[in-house]
Amino acid sequence: FLHPTLTTTTTITRLHTLELPRSGVTSFNTCLEAAKLSDLPKGINPFEKSVSKSLDVQADFRERAKRAVDAAIGDGVKRMEIEFPPLLGGDQSKSQFDDFDNIQELDKNKDWTMLFAPMFLGKQEEFGNGKTWLVFPDLKECELARAEWAGSRYQTATFTDIQAATNHLAGDGSYDAPWGANLVSGVSKLMGGSDGDAGLLGDQNALDTLVEGENSPATLALVIQPGNGGPVEDWVNVEKMYDANPETTMVVINGALDKVRGGYYPGVFFPKLAQTVDRFYKKFESVFYLKPISDKGVYGWIYRQYPEPWQVVLQTRKSDGKGGMLIEDTVVYTSEERPEYNDAVAKLVRANAEIAKAAS
C-alpha cells in the first residue's frame, strides 16, 4: 500500500482481448470491440485507500446501476441482480481486506437502496404512487429504514418486507419461516396482549398496507440483501414473490446469488433452496456486477454493466518517476458469458505474468 507521503495518479491501460494470447498480441478488431466497454469506477483499487475515502464511490455505483437497469427494462428483462462492495467509499471506506460484519453490510445496502429508489420516480405514473417496492429482509430493517429515511421522496415508495410481500402475493401462509421465527412471533403477540404485537421482531406499523389495484402489483421490486447473512428461507421466498407476479421487475441487491447458484448450500441439507437454483436463480441477469478477485499479490475485478460483455480487469501500480504512483486498469478478458471465479483469477495471474515479462 502507498506510503502516506506519496501522491497518486490513476491511468487506464486497455489491453483489450477476448482472451489474452500467450504471445501477448492483440488484434485491432478486438480492440475496437472492447473500446465500448465501461471503465472501472474510480477509487476502488486496493492501493489507494485515501482516494476511496475522498470519493462518493457508492453514488457512482448507483448511477451505473440505474443505467444498467433502465437498459435491461427496455429489453424486457424481469429478473436482475446488482452485486457490488457496499462498504467502499467515504470516511469509513472498507475493502474486502478489512474487517467488517454483516450488520455493517446490511446497513450500507439499506442506505444504498433508499437512495437508489428515488432515481426511478421521475416516471411517476410507472414507478410512483407506491409502485416501487422496497422489500427488506425483515421487519426490523423496514422499521429502521422508515425512521431513518423520513423524507417524502423516500416515503413515496412502498415499504414492506419479504414475509409481508410473500404472504400478500402468494397467499397467506405461503411464507417459509426460518427456524424459530414462529416461536418468537407467538411470544411477541402473547406479550402484547390486548395491545397487539409487542414488537419483538419489529414494529408492524412500519409496513405499508399492500392493496391490489393501488400499490400492488409493483412495477419495480427492490429486494435488499435477501439470505446473505440471514436465513436461507429468504431466497426461497423471493422465488415465491416473483412467481406470484412475474410482470413485476425484480432487482435483487447484494443477495449473494453466486452462493446460491454455486452450490455453497448442499442440496441434501437445503432441498427447498436447491430446487430454486436451475428454475429461478440461474435465470437472473447480472446488470451491474463488480466483484474483487485476488491471488498471489495480484488484484483485479470481475465487472459487468448491462448490456456490455463481462470483463476481467487487472489493476497494477508503478512509479510515475516523480515520487507518485500510477494505477493501471488492464482488461485481460471479455466474454458474453459470466466467467467462473477461479477461471477469472487464473486469467488475471497469467496476464500479470505476461505484462511483467513484456516489461522486463
Side-chain angles (χ1 to χ4, degrees), residues 252-275:
V252 172
I253 297 169
N254 276 342
L257 300 190
D258 283 344
K259 292 169 69 175
V260 178
R261 291 183 293 245
Y264 181 85
Y265 298 93
V268 65
F269 299 119
F270 304 95
K272 282 189 177 181
L273 180 60
Q275 291 167 13

Side-chain angles (χ1 to χ4, degrees), residues 15 17 19-27 350-351 353-355 357-359:
L15 179 60
T17 124
E19 184 170 2
L20 187 73
R22 297 281 181 187
S23 63
V25 177
T26 307
S27 74
R350 182 160 67 86
E354 292 281 351
I355 291 171
K357 180 179 180 182

Side-chain angles (χ1 to χ4, degrees), residues 66-357:
K66 175 60 164 59
R67 293 195 296 270
V69 170
D70 284 345
I73 288 175
D75 288 341
V77 178
K78 293 296 184 181
R79 284 173 282 195
M80 311 180 199
E81 72 168 318
I82 294 175
E83 190 79 19
F84 60 91
L87 299 174
L88 275 179
D91 292 342
Q92 304 299 318
S93 180
K94 292 185 178 182
S95 72
Q96 70 271 28
F97 304 109
D98 297 309
D99 292 330
F100 56 87
D101 56 40
N102 181 65
I103 299 301
Q104 291 174 299
E105 272 194 307
L106 188 54
D107 285 345
K108 290 295 186 181
N109 286 325
K110 174 191 64 186
D111 293 345
W112 192 94
T113 308
M114 292 305 304
L115 290 166
F116 188 55
M119 299 174 74
F120 293 90
L121 298 180
K123 298 180 179 179
Q124 185 66 20
E125 291 185 5
E126 188 175 0
F127 297 104
N129 301 317
K131 289 290 190 175
T132 295
W133 285 15
L134 298 166
V135 186
F136 296 92
D138 56 49
L139 180 56
K140 179 56 71 174
E141 288 303 313
C142 184
E143 178 187 346
L144 290 172
R146 174 76 84 182
E148 294 168 359
W149 298 89
S152 59
R153 67 191 298 254
Y154 308 112
Q155 301 292 326
T156 301
T158 290
F159 283 64
T160 189
D161 66 2
I162 290 175
Q163 180 175 356
T166 302
N167 281 333
H168 171 76
L169 293 169
D172 286 339
S174 60
Y175 173 73
D176 265 47
W179 183 89
N182 288 332
L183 175 62
V184 176
S185 178
V187 171
S188 185
K189 291 177 180 177
L190 184 63
M191 290 176 62
S194 60
D195 294 329
D197 195 294
L200 294 182
L201 297 175
D203 184 358
Q204 292 286 333
N205 293 321
L207 297 172
D208 284 317
T209 302
L210 304 177
V211 181
E212 286 299 311
E214 295 184 13
N215 60 359
S216 179
T219 300
L220 175 68
L222 303 176
V223 187
I224 305 160
Q225 196 179 323
N228 186 22
V232 298
E233 288 82 3
D234 281 359
W235 289 305
V236 175
N237 289 312
V238 166
E239 183 189 29
K240 291 182 178 183
M241 289 167 47
Y242 178 83
D243 285 348
N245 191 17
E247 291 307 308
T248 293
T249 298
M250 174 179 282
V251 181
V252 172
I253 297 169
N254 276 342
L257 300 190
D258 283 344
K259 292 169 69 175
V260 178
R261 291 183 293 245
Y264 181 85
Y265 298 93
V268 65
F269 299 119
F270 304 95
K272 282 189 177 181
L273 180 60
Q275 291 167 13
T276 69
V277 176
D278 288 332
R279 73 187 181 202
F280 186 59
Y281 284 111
K282 285 189 176 181
K283 298 177 181 178
F284 269 69
E285 186 77 49
S286 300
V287 294
F288 180 72
Y289 186 98
L290 184 64
K291 187 178 186 70
I293 55 176
S294 63
D295 186 52
K296 302 175 182 176
V298 179
Y299 304 98
W301 300 84
I302 301 175
Y303 180 46
R304 199 231 179 169
Q305 183 174 322
Y306 185 92
E308 299 172 8
W310 289 83
Q311 307 179 50
V312 176
V313 186
L314 171 69
Q315 291 196 306
T316 54
R317 58 178 175 171
K318 64 180 181 181
S319 171
D320 65 357
K322 302 176 182 179
M325 188 163 292
L326 299 176
I327 306 299
E328 293 189 336
D329 295 342
T330 305
V331 179
V332 301
Y333 179 77
T334 64
S335 172
E336 292 299 326
E337 301 296 326
R338 174 200 299 263
E340 294 293 332
Y341 181 87
N342 289 338
D343 289 342
V345 170
K347 293 179 188 302
L348 203 72
V349 171
R350 182 160 67 86
N352 185 67
E354 292 281 351
I355 291 171
K357 180 179 180 182

